[in-house]
Amino acid sequence: MYRDERGVFQWLPVLTLVILSFAIFADFYIAGTDRLQGAPQRIFYIHVPSAWVAYFAFFLVFIFSIKYLARRNPDDDIRAHACAESGVVFCTLVLITGPIWARPVWGVWWTWDARLTTTLILWMIYVGYLMLRAYMTEPEQRARFAAVMGIVGFLNVPIVHMSVEWWRTLHPKPVVMRSGGLRDLPDSMHVALWSTLLAFMLLFVCFVRKRAQIERLNARVEEARAAREGA
Amino acid sequence: MLEALGVSRRYGWRWALKDLNLSVSPGETLALLGKNGSGKTTLLKTFAGLLMPTEGTVRVGGEPISREAKGGIGLLTHEPMLYAGLTIRENLGYFAKLFGMESGDISGRVELLAETLGITDRLAEPVRVLSQGLRQRASLARALLHDPEVVLLDEPFSGLDPEAAGRLESVVRALCEHHARIVVFTTHDLSKAFDMAGRIAVLGGGRLAYEGNADNSKEEELLAAFDEASEGPA
Amino acid sequence: MRRFFYVLFAVVEKDLRLEWRTKESLLVMVVFALLVLTLFSFAFGPGGGSGENARAVQAGILWISFLFACVIGLSRTMSVERESAGFSAMYLSPSDPSALYLGKVVSVAVLMGIMEVVGFAVLAVLYQANVWKSAGALAIVAISATVGIAAAGTLFSAMSARTRTREVLLPVLMFPVLVPVLIAAVKASEAHLGGGGWADSRDWIRLMLVYDVVFLVAASLVFEYILEE
């Protein structure tokens, strides 16, 4: 079950660190200062890539959950778990950076902006997923239930987003930043955005691999302990 | 034919069953012996399709167990699997429908089973007021409703007063005598196993510790396996 | 197909009969909903405040109380299933798990429907809400919302009933997933309580119907994995 890290992946954390350092440098020094928002806009380079990584993570949870139910391979369950946990980390980052960005720019911490609100609900769904796992002791049953939650939770994402969007548009809006879309960004900002995204993606892969590895070892420990006690 | 092929099942973090091979042919009665936690209940539930093996397969009639195949299997467990708020008749009616029996056939079948199990005059009583023995009998009626070819009984005689135990024993004996039926029951009672079963298997630590015909000459060999299985580490 | 509905109705019949005998879930649901409706009146002032906002508050209070009451009712129903190992017994049978699931959803929805009728009546009395004038429209809103709540509630309560903490986990799993239904039900009810027409509620009802279909289909397909022991 447990393999030593060999080959390309051995260097993954190092590569991640290098790219992450470059990305942080790019966020602060390469990207120009935004004319309207000034320095606070730089949080965009953390905020947006985190959101993308989080959504990608939850998509992976969905995929691994389906795979688990179809093939019952415990490793798919471990992967789904690792993705969910890492996804929640990035999702939390989105929810922390969102208000920090909103405060100086819009004057309020929280605006019930549709995208941020959807992310908040998503965060709650996947924290629920992790709690469900934490409260279950029977590994096979936990894997099945978590997979069900991983599938149903993800299917909800578009509906949640749609409902929150409508809910907001039917309300008087606070001063909402009019983003001109990614195409209007100057090149220097593109460098910052995409390098951060790459760094976060690699970081996410590192997290998931490490987490899955720990979980596999954990399973071996538990199994060995049970075998000793149960005999 | 009921077969377990290389069946392993993890329960909690333990292997409740480990690479188990066992088959029972139609007309045969198998007694499963073993200490508590030796995997008897897990094996029965796996045979019934209630638990999926972590590894290996269970076959019924040569096919991997399927939803359809469950229609030919009856399981009696420690949990009565009856709703305490409903009467025996209502409970049996509900479960009969889940097994796809037509409403017209149900009452006749229920009466017949009640007659054999001696619960005819209790059919209209809610399960919550019944004694342990009556519950066990009602539960057996539930397991036998659809006249299954494979009957799996988990400790059918434990915790019963002699009268109820005697009644249940004769019913089970009648089941075993049917030429095409497979009966598997677990018990702690060695004499019952020798008395009723044609074959005996002993489980220890999720593995098969002994398997052979229920022939009194083998009693010592069996007892040795039983002790060994319950002492040594799995 | 016939067999599918035969099993589905067997489950509904069993659940409703059990409920009729014991009245455990329904009673506690209705009382709880009434309690929350009354408490909110203390929190927001009589009638849910005054002016334009009152109707929005009323609609919100109504659905929050239904949602809370539903959690209580579901916990009751599911603990009955747990005590009698009902899910295992279901899984022993050759029945289609989707039929078993949908049967369970129908019986939960019926109980919720009864509670909602009482809830709307109380809203009309305590909050002077315009329930009667648009009763038909509100019924359609309530039905589309109730199906969604019952669909999610049945799946998650079947799951949480088998965890260590049982009831505690149910709202944590269920509420975030039900956000779209809550928003839509509140908005649509608000429109009709205010004497508004279909134009204001049509999209919300449509959203709920999409949710209902998606959830019912998805949960029917995965319910089997919940039943397995």
Side-chain angles (χ1 to χ4, degrees):
Chain A
M1 279 218 281
Y2 174 69
R3 292 177 308 268
D4 276 320
E5 295 274 307
R6 294 255 161 73
V8 192
F9 286 111
Q10 200 180 346
W11 299 102
L12 193 66
V14 180
L15 181 70
T16 307
L17 200 66
V18 170
I19 295 183
L20 192 61
S21 316
F22 171 77
I24 292 172
F25 177 76
D27 295 347
F28 284 98
Y29 297 104
I30 295 180
T33 307
D34 188 78
R35 262 179 295 117
L36 290 171
Q37 300 183 18
Q41 182 268 344
R42 287 184 196 277
I43 209 164
F44 164 84
Y45 307 120
I46 308 286
H47 182 77
V48 172
S50 311
W52 289 346
V53 172
Y55 278 75
F56 176 65
F58 298 145
F59 173 68
L60 287 184
V61 175
F62 175 67
I63 297 293
F64 285 129
S65 299
I66 293 176
K67 259 177 89 179
Y68 176 78
L69 291 183
R71 301 190 321 190
R72 303 285 176 110
N73 178 357
D75 227 41
D76 286 327
D77 174 55
I78 289 175
R79 290 194 190 106
H81 182 194
C83 286
E85 218 170 81
S86 313
V88 166
V89 170
F90 283 97
C91 203
T92 310
L93 214 57
V94 178
L95 293 175
I96 292 171
T97 52
I100 297 177
W101 188 12
R103 177 69 187 170
V105 175
W106 301 336
V108 283
W109 293 108
W110 190 266
T111 60
W112 294 104
D113 155 73
R115 263 180 280 184
L116 204 51
T117 307
T118 305
T119 311
L120 175 65
I121 294 162
L122 217 61
W123 185 84
M124 287 169 172
I125 291 178
Y126 286 92
V127 167
Y129 172 94
L130 294 177
M131 283 179 74
L132 175 70
R133 299 194 70 106
Y135 284 128
M136 294 189 70
T137 41
E138 221 289 285
E140 312 247 333
Q141 198 177 44
R142 176 176 63 204
R144 267 183 287 121
F145 284 22
V148 166
M149 184 74 196
I151 292 169
V152 171
F154 189 76
L155 287 177
N156 251 287
V157 175
I159 308 180
V160 168
H161 187 260
M162 201 158 65
S163 66
V164 174
E165 192 119 280
W166 288 359
W167 174 58
R168 290 307 294 156
T169 47
L170 296 182
H171 260 272
K173 272 191 180 176
V175 201
V176 168
M177 180 198 64
R178 192 63 244 134
S179 68
L182 287 176
R183 245 166 284 138
D184 298 347
L185 289 183
D187 286 347
S188 67
M189 289 189 177
H190 269 296
V191 171
L193 177 67
W194 298 107
S195 62
T196 315
L197 180 65
L198 180 63
F200 279 13
M201 272 297 181
L202 291 176
L203 192 61
F204 169 72
V205 174
C206 289
F207 281 179
V208 169
R209 289 182 58 80
K210 208 43 160 185
R211 194 64 189 83
Q213 215 177 72
I214 292 171
E215 211 46 54
R216 278 181 209 119
L217 286 173
N218 219 1
R220 286 210 336 180
V221 171
E222 292 288 352
E223 230 168 78
R225 177 180 300 155
R228 178 183 295 192
E229 283 169 4
Chain B
M1 191 79 154
L2 181 66
E3 299 163 285
L5 302 171
V7 166
S8 299
R9 165 73 198 199
R10 221 169 48 171
Y11 213 83
W13 288 105
R14 284 186 56 225
W15 288 95
L17 296 175
K18 193 69 192 162
D19 196 23
L20 193 106
N21 290 290
L22 188 65
S23 66
V24 196
S25 324
E28 224 179 353
T29 301
L30 176 77
L32 273 178
L33 295 167
K35 291 268 159 85
N36 285 333
S38 60
K40 288 174 297 178
T41 302
T42 309
L43 180 59
L44 281 196
K45 286 185 171 177
T46 313
F47 273 148
L50 193 56
L51 291 174
M52 294 289 166
T54 312
E55 284 155 22
T57 38
V58 169
R59 287 164 175 255
V60 183
E63 301 278 321
I65 189 166
S66 62
R67 200 201 299 153
E68 286 68 38
K70 288 181 184 173
I73 302 174
L75 172 71
L76 174 77
T77 57
H78 299 300
E79 302 115 2
M81 292 193 182
L82 297 167
Y83 292 94
L86 297 180
T87 66
I88 300 182
R89 193 193 300 276
E90 287 162 347
N91 265 300
L92 296 181
Y94 164 64
F95 287 110
K97 283 181 184 170
L98 289 195
F99 276 89
M101 290 170 71
E102 296 295 329
S103 8
D105 307 338
I106 293 174
S107 65
R109 179 74 188 151
V110 168
E111 295 296 337
L112 185 71
L113 276 171
E115 176 85 42
T116 7
L117 288 161
I119 49 174
T120 307
D121 50 342
R122 315 303 286 268
L123 277 177
E125 283 178 37
V127 170
R128 88 165 82 245
V129 305
L130 300 179
S131 68
Q132 176 62 29
L134 282 166
R135 257 182 226 208
Q136 184 82 337
R137 281 189 257 174
S139 192
L140 184 61
R142 175 195 54 70
L144 300 178
L145 263 177
H146 49 295
D147 199 12
E149 298 99 64
V150 177
V151 179
L152 308 166
L153 309 169
D154 199 1
E155 310 257 354
F157 313 115
S158 71
L160 297 182
D161 56 88
E163 193 257 322
R167 169 82 74 164
L168 227 57
E169 201 184 308
S170 63
V171 173
V172 173
R173 219 178 274 274
L175 281 174
C176 301
E177 269 151 26
H178 194 282
H179 69 282
R181 193 174 273 125
I182 292 173
V183 180
V184 180
F185 69 92
T186 68
T187 181
H188 286 296
D189 190 341
L190 216 59
S191 63
K192 277 232 171 59
F194 274 112
D195 189 22
M196 296 174 67
R199 213 144 60 86
I200 292 180
V202 179
L203 286 184
R207 293 166 199 270
L208 205 56
Y210 172 89
E211 193 201 345
N213 290 332
D215 179 343
N216 283 327
S217 64
K218 292 187 175 149
E219 193 169 335
E220 265 171 43
E221 191 184 335
L222 190 150
L223 280 171
F226 189 83
D227 288 337
E228 196 182 326
S230 48
E231 275 166 18
Chain C
M1 208 57 194
R2 205 187 73 83
R3 173 122 167 67
F4 186 91
F5 285 103
Y6 185 67
V7 169
L8 195 156
F9 285 120
V11 175
V12 177
E13 186 194 3
K14 179 266 296 177
D15 276 344
L16 295 183
R17 177 174 284 154
L18 207 54
E19 185 54 39
W20 180 250
R21 283 287 152 71
T22 56
K23 298 182 188 65
E24 267 174 0
S25 310
L26 188 59
L27 205 64
V28 80
M29 278 165 87
V30 170
V31 171
F32 192 81
L34 289 185
L35 204 62
V36 176
L37 278 171
T38 322
L39 283 181
F40 270 123
S41 204
F42 297 131
F44 291 109
S50 53
E52 263 306 284
N53 214 22
R55 263 186 294 280
V57 172
Q58 287 169 7
I61 289 172
L62 190 71
W63 284 101
I64 290 287
S65 67
F66 287 170
L67 217 51
F68 284 3
C70 176
V71 168
I72 304 266
L74 279 168
S75 308
R76 267 316 307 152
T77 321
M78 288 305 165
S79 71
V80 170
E81 290 291 350
R82 191 183 56 240
E83 279 156 21
S84 44
F87 287 132
S88 298
M90 283 179 181
Y91 198 62
L92 279 179
S93 79
S95 314
D96 188 343
S98 356
L100 300 170
Y101 167 72
L102 293 175
K104 209 79 198 145
V105 171
V106 170
S107 38
V108 170
V110 167
L111 293 192
M112 283 189 65
I114 297 171
M115 169 198 68
E116 283 166 8
V117 169
V118 180
F120 271 108
V122 170
L123 191 80
V125 175
L126 288 187
Y127 292 78
Q128 283 91 44
N130 285 325
V131 170
W132 303 124
K133 239 181 18 200
S134 42
L138 284 172
I140 290 174
V141 173
I143 289 168
S144 3
T146 303
V147 171
I149 297 173
T154 303
L155 182 71
F156 291 128
S157 57
M159 272 175 18
S160 67
R162 283 185 159 181
T163 62
R164 263 192 292 134
T165 47
R166 286 164 196 163
E167 287 79 13
V168 183
L169 205 56
L170 177 56
V172 174
L173 296 180
M174 189 174 139
F175 287 165
V177 171
L178 275 174
V179 164
V181 177
L182 179 69
I183 293 178
V186 169
K187 286 289 158 188
S189 309
E190 183 190 336
H192 287 296
L193 284 174
W198 292 106
D200 297 326
S201 67
R202 199 191 302 122
D203 286 344
W204 292 118
I205 292 173
R206 225 175 261 162
L207 181 88
M208 286 191 277
L209 293 179
V210 169
Y211 184 97
D212 295 351
V213 171
V214 169
F215 214 105
L216 285 175
V217 171
S220 301
L221 292 176
V222 296
F223 196 62
E224 173 176 4
Y225 304 108
I226 306 293
L227 289 180
E228 198 184 316
E229 208 170 85

